[in-house]
Amino acid sequence: MPYPLSPRWRRRLPVPVALAAATAVVLLVGPASAVTPQATAPAEADPIAGQQASVVEVLLDGTAELDALVATGVDLDHHVERTETGVVAQAVITPSEADRLTAAGFTLGEVLHRPADARDRVAEREATIAEHRSENREFAATAADPTAPDTSDVKIIRADYYTSGTGQVLSVEAKWAQGQTATNTLTVERDSGPGTAIGSGGTQTISRFVDAGVYLYHRGAAAVTSRPQYVRITSPTGDVAVVKVREWLPTPRTDPEGPGYQKDFVTSYQTPTELYARIQQLAAEFPKLAEVVELPYKTNGYRRHAQAVLGAANASRVAVDSLAWGHEGGNDVSVELADPGAGNAALGVTVTGNAIRVNLATDGAGAVTSTAAQVAAALNANAGTLVRAYTYRGSPGDGVVASAPRTQLTDDLSAPASVSRDPHPVYAIRIGKHRDGSKLGVLAYAQEHAREWVPPLVTIETAERLLRNYDHDGRTKQLLNDLDIWIAPSINPDGGHYSFYDFNSQRKNMTNHCPTTGAADFLGRDSWGVDNNRNYTEYSLFDGYSGASSSCTSGTYAGPSELSEPENRNLDWLASRPNIKFSMNLHSSGNYFMWSPGAYALPDRTSAPRPSLADESFFWGASSRILTAIKQHRNMAVTPARTGPISDVLYSAAGNSGDMLWYKYGIYAWNFEVGTSFQPEWDEAHAEAMEFSNGLVELMRVARDFESDKKRPTSTMNVAPSSSPGMVNVTFDVSEPASVFYTLDGAKPTYDSTLYGSAGIREGGETLTVPAGTEVHWFSVDAAGNVEKNYRPDGKGNNYRKGKAVLPRR
Ligand SMILES: [Zn+2]
């Protein structure tokens, strides 16, 4: 499995040595009083005392001029971008240095980051740290025994207050050490706001969440009438946990949609044929910004053989299938089982054009004696160029058949002729100013499951918002200029058409993998198909994982083998575009928002590998942005309990696409479960399309911010008392989602050092219990590859973080 962070680190690491050495941290350039203790980077950045540096673009003709710039010794940020007309470097320079560079013939561009910006960031950071400290003090004051906080057998993982619709909700999750064996619920006491007594806001109970026999945590949500500040749980053994309540999805200060932002383009449900026509129209209207790409694999087609099942009792039933597809002549074939009305008749078959007549055998009294097996054999022997016949679902077929009037075989497909019966191309619209693979790729895809009619609308609405706002909305322009966006509105068009015209509950594709001894006959037709979201390659049924079926009629049939289906091979092809780093798999319903792992193996619920703590926190951080955007439409809050890894909040789904994208391709892969039902009334469907399109556009913004992230993470080491004599408890905090690598033996930390991990499912960082006084060396690195203090973790750098694991003075 490719570790998702590694490729980016590797990509970033070969920065030319001269540039890397010259790099300084923008955050560090500020008034001396605001510089924090760890901010003691090499001081050569600003040789002129009293002058403050800004980050300024230097516009260069090419590499030779870049070399000349490096030779001046100027402090270059590691951002060097090659454009169509040359090279843009970012320099950290003072006004007098700017004058010197201009005099030397260099052309300066935009000022990207001024000292005032840095001061704002530092002030913001200081405020956050101060708030954090006071929270810890408040927590310590309310906790039962502040000298040994690691002894309680109950731990509150999350306490989230939010509004949804017109209501107020408090959602709490907690882990209790006895949760696997004892079935107790836990009681949560609330205060009623700042300064009020715990309990004054009432209580609520939370229940065990057990999946596959394994206790995960307690969880529950309740309506509240005011926002509590603290909650407390006293476990059945008398241990206590207290935490501060956080606000889930608070209203953002600024609206990401600027004035004049256009939206609301979908006016009805759309079939796959209509969805594809719509993206063709959009690409034709915006040829500079979009194109339609036909994916490499055609589906098996909205088509079936013509069939009939003659007879009632299983042993005397005969199943007949045309050899030709229904629309290619199969529907013209008919079969009649004729009673000759005379004694001692022999079994015979006559074929006249497409009309097949079986003359049944009789005994001396004129009673029919032909069995189902005999009739099937006679049909195969005498009409084998038109049909194949078989006994019903593996029956020996020893029952005597009943005569049957002329029965037309049928594929029983009801779509109008405008819906193609041929193997169907699958299309994606590719949106972006530069669609050459040079920009960060984002993939959104819908309708793996045929009956889910709203998710395709979300993708179409999103495509249209991106294209129609490009000209007049600056933020949309940035997205299309900087990203390479792939949107596939219907991965499974055959099933989609079938769902619209024939069987609205269709989930899978239409391919019949059932044997004639199984459900291959006419009566099994609504149960055929492969679950396209179980046919992928990672942690699949074929690898022994749970949540998919080997039965061809199951709703979660995984198919005969991984990637057996063209729909799945198409998605694998899309995901293998090397620039794609973010994806959204759109499903319905339930208002879930999820990521990997999405599967575990039984009997021990062995999970697919969990993301690192840094990736997990990146998933959570981006999720809160995306879910906040969704909430802005009509205050519908996707709940904390429905946010997280698929297998933690929903169920195991072996071989799902999100897991393939994450584990095989290192793509940050999310999954929407949109709305409340598969095919809601239009007003509701429309509202769901609007709100989740908000979220999908926000994913584009998350992706762009990720790509332009040049900010280095900072970290702090926290030391707390331990219940073990002579030991202390160490945890790390980071300023943004970032990995921490550390050593405890005095060695320099590198990427081979120990990676700071998670304490457990849905918990924060682990607690390291170490001897008091241990020398801790560490550094942090964010998902974009920015390393704290520009430390070079290759064994040569020295400016990693250092600290002694001793208790802070209070
Ligand atoms: Zn689905």
Side-chain angles (χ1 to χ4, degrees):
M1 167 204 110
Y3 184 67
L5 278 174
S6 313
R8 291 206 62 86
W9 288 339
R10 293 206 189 96
R11 236 186 295 156
R12 299 269 179 163
L13 288 174
V15 170
V17 171
L19 292 187
T23 306
V25 183
V26 171
L27 267 181
L28 308 182
V29 182
S33 62
V35 173
T36 47
Q38 71 263 32
T40 46
E44 71 270 16
D46 184 359
I48 300 178
Q51 285 203 6
Q52 289 176 2
S54 298
V55 180
V56 180
E57 285 182 342
V58 186
L59 311 179
L60 305 163
D61 284 335
T63 311
E65 211 186 348
L66 175 61
D67 291 343
L69 180 66
V70 172
T72 67
V74 71
D75 177 8
L76 292 179
D77 190 340
H78 63 182
H79 185 110
V80 175
E81 188 184 10
R82 273 154 229 286
T83 67
E84 281 149 13
T85 53
V87 175
V88 179
Q90 294 182 3
V92 185
I93 51 177
T94 61
S96 60
E97 283 177 313
D99 292 343
R100 254 203 327 269
L101 285 177
T102 309
F106 290 99
T107 309
L108 302 185
E110 282 183 51
V111 178
L112 302 173
H113 193 91
R114 294 180 171 77
D117 299 331
R119 280 195 292 276
D120 290 347
R121 305 275 161 79
V122 171
E124 191 178 270
R125 188 187 119 77
E126 294 291 316
T128 306
I129 291 170
E131 185 186 359
H132 185 75
R133 286 207 185 103
S134 82
E135 274 175 28
N136 281 348
R137 270 199 299 277
E138 286 177 63
F139 170 73
T142 41
D145 180 5
T147 59
D150 59 347
T151 54
S152 178
D153 67 1
V154 63
K155 176 177 179 182
I156 301 176
I157 310 168
R158 308 181 59 91
D160 297 291
Y161 165 86
Y162 57 94
T163 64
S164 190
T166 55
Q168 303 178 74
V169 183
L170 179 71
S171 168
V172 179
E173 298 175 7
K175 272 184 199 177
W176 180 39
Q178 321 290 325
Q180 179 65 38
T181 48
T183 59
N184 307 53
T185 57
L186 297 175
T187 300
V188 180
E189 299 170 275
R190 312 181 290 254
D191 66 21
S192 48
T196 60
I198 209 97
S200 65
T203 62
Q204 64 196 78
T205 54
I206 58 176
S207 311
R208 291 163 80 230
F209 175 29
V210 176
D211 185 52
V214 176
Y215 166 73
L216 297 177
Y217 46 92
H218 279 70
R219 65 178 180 181
V224 294
T225 53
S226 64
R227 176 180 171 172
Q229 190 178 28
Y230 286 96
V231 291
R232 178 170 69 192
I233 295 177
T234 305
S235 80
T237 63
D239 282 358
V240 174
V242 178
V243 299
K244 192 166 187 178
V245 174
R246 292 181 299 186
E247 183 165 8
W248 174 246
L249 313 181
T251 306
R253 270 167 292 172
T254 54
D255 186 347
E257 296 167 1
Y261 190 85
Q262 293 176 24
K263 56 207 289 188
D264 199 351
F265 301 108
V266 294
T267 53
S268 68
Y269 285 123
Q270 294 175 48
T271 67
T273 294
E274 291 162 348
L275 293 166
Y276 294 156
R278 188 75 195 129
I279 59 175
Q280 295 282 5
Q281 286 167 9
L282 287 170
E285 191 179 340
F286 298 96
K288 292 203 172 101
L289 298 175
E291 64 195 281
V292 168
V293 177
E294 181 181 337
L295 304 184
Y297 302 96
K298 288 188 165 72
T299 66
N300 293 326
Y302 174 78
R303 61 180 180 176
R304 286 194 297 226
H305 297 279
Q307 296 180 297
V309 173
L310 306 172
N314 289 353
S316 55
R317 274 178 158 170
V318 179
V320 187
D321 299 355
S322 67
L323 298 192
W325 295 106
H327 67 289
E328 291 176 344
N331 288 338
D332 301 327
V333 176
S334 65
V335 178
E336 175 184 3
L337 305 184
D339 182 343
N344 296 318
L347 178 63
V349 175
T350 59
V351 178
T352 310
N354 286 309
I356 303 169
R357 178 185 165 105
V358 179
N359 295 302
L360 299 171
T362 54
D363 62 13
V368 171
T369 57
S370 297
T371 65
Q374 290 166 342
V375 168
L379 280 166
N380 289 331
N382 299 292
T385 57
L386 287 178
V387 298
R388 69 170 173 173
Y390 45 95
T391 60
Y392 187 71
R393 302 203 177 179
S395 162
D398 51 1
V400 172
V401 301
S403 64
R406 197 168 83 92
T407 302
Q408 199 79 31
L409 304 190
T410 177
D411 63 11
D412 197 35
L413 292 176
S414 308
S418 57
V419 173
S420 167
R421 265 62 174 174
D422 293 326
H424 208 295
V426 179
Y427 297 104
I429 185 168
R430 186 177 185 183
I431 298 173
K433 187 121 186 294
H434 310 281
R435 301 182 303 280
D436 56 3
S438 66
K439 299 292 179 182
L440 180 77
V442 183
L443 167 65
Y445 56 101
Q447 205 165 40
E448 285 183 321
H449 289 150
R451 64 193 173 200
E452 298 168 6
W453 291 1
V454 178
L457 300 180
V458 177
T459 64
I460 288 284
E461 169 74 16
T462 300
E464 197 147 351
R465 287 186 191 181
L466 294 173
L467 292 169
R468 295 211 185 281
N469 287 298
Y470 179 84
D471 270 342
H472 61 268
D473 182 68
R475 293 200 66 182
T476 303
K477 183 165 279 184
Q478 288 175 333
L479 296 180
L480 268 61
N481 285 350
D482 294 348
L483 298 175
D484 185 0
I485 297 164
W486 293 76
I487 293 177
S490 177
I491 288 291
N492 173 15
D494 297 346
H497 286 129
Y498 194 61
S499 172
F500 271 92
Y501 295 111
D502 301 281
F503 176 60
N504 78 307
S505 296
Q506 180 75 10
R507 167 181 168 98
K508 305 184 285 179
N509 71 8
M510 286 180 67
T511 304
N512 179 9
H513 285 292
C514 292
T516 53
T517 51
D521 56 85
F522 181 71
L523 301 179
R525 65 197 185 285
D526 285 338
S527 303
W528 299 340
V530 173
D531 182 346
N532 287 126
N533 204 22
R534 298 292 186 278
N535 186 239
Y536 295 100
T537 59
E538 309 303 299
Y539 304 98
S540 70
L541 174 78
F542 309 98
D543 300 327
Y545 281 75
S546 177
S549 171
S550 56
S551 162
C552 65
T553 55
S554 164
T556 56
Y557 176 46
S561 60
E562 291 174 352
L563 296 183
S564 60
E565 305 306 296
E567 295 86 356
N568 297 76
R569 292 197 293 276
N570 278 332
L571 189 72
D572 186 54
W573 181 87
L574 277 170
S576 67
R577 302 304 87 209
N579 60 331
I580 290 182
K581 195 67 197 159
F582 290 85
S583 70
M584 187 67 72
N585 176 20
L586 291 101
H587 284 253
S588 62
S589 59
N591 289 321
Y592 282 88
F593 189 53
M594 303 178 292
W595 54 88
S596 290
Y600 50 73
L602 295 176
D604 299 325
R605 206 183 185 282
T606 307
S607 177
R610 295 195 158 270
S612 69
L613 180 63
D615 282 332
E616 182 79 6
S617 64
F618 181 74
F619 274 122
W620 277 105
S623 300
S624 75
R625 284 180 59 176
I626 292 165
L627 297 180
T628 297
I630 290 171
K631 194 176 180 219
Q632 276 188 291
H633 181 66
R634 56 169 174 173
N635 209 38
M636 190 286 293
V638 170
T639 66
R642 293 182 177 205
T643 303
I646 300 169
S647 55
D648 290 356
V649 300
L650 189 57
Y651 45 55
S652 181
N656 72 78
S657 56
D659 276 350
M660 182 178 77
L661 269 53
W662 172 245
Y663 293 111
K664 184 173 175 183
Y665 293 111
I667 295 170
Y668 284 106
W670 279 276
N671 306 266
F672 276 154
E673 290 283 354
V674 171
T676 51
S677 61
F678 296 129
Q679 297 146 16
E681 287 184 12
W682 176 249
D683 282 354
E684 171 62 20
H686 173 261
E688 292 171 7
M690 291 304 114
E691 65 195 356
F692 279 88
S693 181
N694 281 4
L696 190 51
V697 173
E698 187 64 26
L699 170 67
M700 309 298 168
R701 299 190 188 110
V702 166
R704 183 179 177 272
D705 291 350
F706 175 89
E707 186 65 352
S708 55
D709 176 17
K710 305 292 180 259
K711 196 170 149 191
R712 303 186 184 287
T714 58
S715 60
T716 47
M717 178 175 78
N718 311 304
V719 183
S722 165
S723 52
S724 308
M727 309 292 272
V728 291
N729 288 338
V730 169
T731 57
F732 294 101
D733 284 331
V734 282
S735 58
E736 59 169 303
S739 293
V740 172
F741 292 87
Y742 68 90
T743 66
L744 300 174
D745 59 1
K748 286 183 184 180
T750 68
Y751 287 126
D752 293 327
S753 302
T754 310
L755 175 62
Y756 183 60
S758 160
I761 294 178
R762 297 169 82 77
E763 296 183 52
E766 62 186 322
T767 297
L768 310 173
T769 301
V770 304
T774 298
E775 275 293 339
V776 184
H777 294 171
W778 78 96
F779 68 94
S780 62
V781 52
D782 71 14
N786 299 309
V787 180
E788 181 170 12
K789 294 175 67 183
N790 196 30
Y791 169 59
R792 288 164 61 202
D794 58 2
K796 294 183 186 132
N798 280 314
N799 56 328
Y800 49 84
R801 303 288 315 281
K802 308 174 184 76
K804 236 189 206 348
V806 291
L807 289 175
R809 275 171 297 166
R810 294 233 170 223

